[in-house]
Amino acid sequence: LALTVAINLVKMVFVKVTKSKAYYKRFQVKFRRRREGRTDYRQRKRLCCQAKNKYQSPKYRLVVRFSNRQVICQIAYSLIDGDRILTSASSNELPRYGLNVGLKNYAASYCT
C-alpha cells in the first residue's frame, strides 16, 4: 500500500497553467493612458461629470501645470471628443507686472 502511494506521488508533476489561444482572442487591452498610469478614469468621470439638470452647460475646472521653468494655469472643460481649453495664463507673463525672477515658485503660481 505504501509503495502504490509513493508511485502516485511520483507521477503527479507540476504543470504550469498556460493561457490558451481563446483567452488571448477575447483579451481586451486597457486604454493607453490607463496603461501608462497617467489617467484615473474613475476619478476623471467624477471630476468632469455635470449634473443632468444643468442641460449641456460645461463644468469648468482650473488646471495648474508645473514645468521645469514656468507655471501654466488653464481653465478647461470636457466634451465627448476631448477637453477644451477656454483660456490660459503663464508665469512668463509676470515680468510685465514687475515680478522678474522666480517664475516657478508658489508665489509665482498664485500670481499667475
Side-chain angles (χ1 to χ4, degrees), residues 92-109:
N92 286 341
E93 303 165 3
L94 292 178
R96 283 189 249 164
Y97 303 103
L99 186 65
N100 295 320
V101 293
L103 300 180
K104 199 191 165 203
N105 55 22
Y106 279 125
S109 62

Side-chain angles (χ1 to χ4, degrees), residues 4-5 10 14 16-17 28 33-34 40 45-46 53-54 60 66 71 75 80 84 91 97-98 106 109:
T4 58
V5 171
V10 172
F14 178 73
K16 183 179 177 185
V17 178
Q28 183 177 8
R33 291 182 64 91
R34 168 67 186 93
D40 180 4
K45 179 183 151 195
R46 294 195 171 103
N53 62 353
K54 299 198 177 158
Y60 299 108
F66 288 91
V71 180
I75 296 179
I80 295 294
R84 300 284 191 269
S91 63
Y97 303 103
Y106 279 125
S109 62

Side-chain angles (χ1 to χ4, degrees), residues 12-40:
M12 293 176 59
V13 293
F14 178 73
V15 178
K16 183 179 177 185
V17 178
T18 57
K19 295 183 171 69
S20 65
K21 190 174 183 181
Y23 171 82
Y24 287 108
K25 276 184 166 182
R26 296 183 53 79
F27 183 77
Q28 183 177 8
V29 296
K30 306 265 190 241
F31 290 148
R32 178 183 56 83
R33 291 182 64 91
R34 168 67 186 93
R35 290 194 313 263
E36 294 171 354
R38 294 171 67 185
T39 302
D40 180 4

Side-chain angles (χ1 to χ4, degrees), residues 8 23 29 32 44 48 53 62 78:
N8 286 341
Y23 171 82
V29 296
R32 178 183 56 83
R44 178 179 164 76
C48 297
N53 62 353
L62 180 67
S78 65

Side-chain angles (χ1 to χ4, degrees), residues 31-99:
F31 290 148
R32 178 183 56 83
R33 291 182 64 91
R34 168 67 186 93
R35 290 194 313 263
E36 294 171 354
R38 294 171 67 185
T39 302
D40 180 4
Y41 282 100
R42 180 179 294 154
Q43 186 178 14
R44 178 179 164 76
K45 179 183 151 195
R46 294 195 171 103
L47 177 73
C48 297
C49 193
Q50 179 68 286
K52 294 294 180 191
N53 62 353
K54 299 198 177 158
Y55 297 110
Q56 297 281 329
S57 60
K59 187 173 187 180
Y60 299 108
R61 66 185 193 278
L62 180 67
V63 180
V64 180
R65 304 180 198 278
F66 288 91
S67 73
N68 285 337
R69 300 186 61 190
Q70 63 180 342
V71 180
I72 301 169
C73 299
Q74 299 172 327
I75 296 179
Y77 62 97
S78 65
L79 293 176
I80 295 294
D81 58 343
D83 289 0
R84 300 284 191 269
I85 304 299
L86 196 64
T87 185
S88 78
S90 172
S91 63
N92 286 341
E93 303 165 3
L94 292 178
R96 283 189 249 164
Y97 303 103
L99 186 65

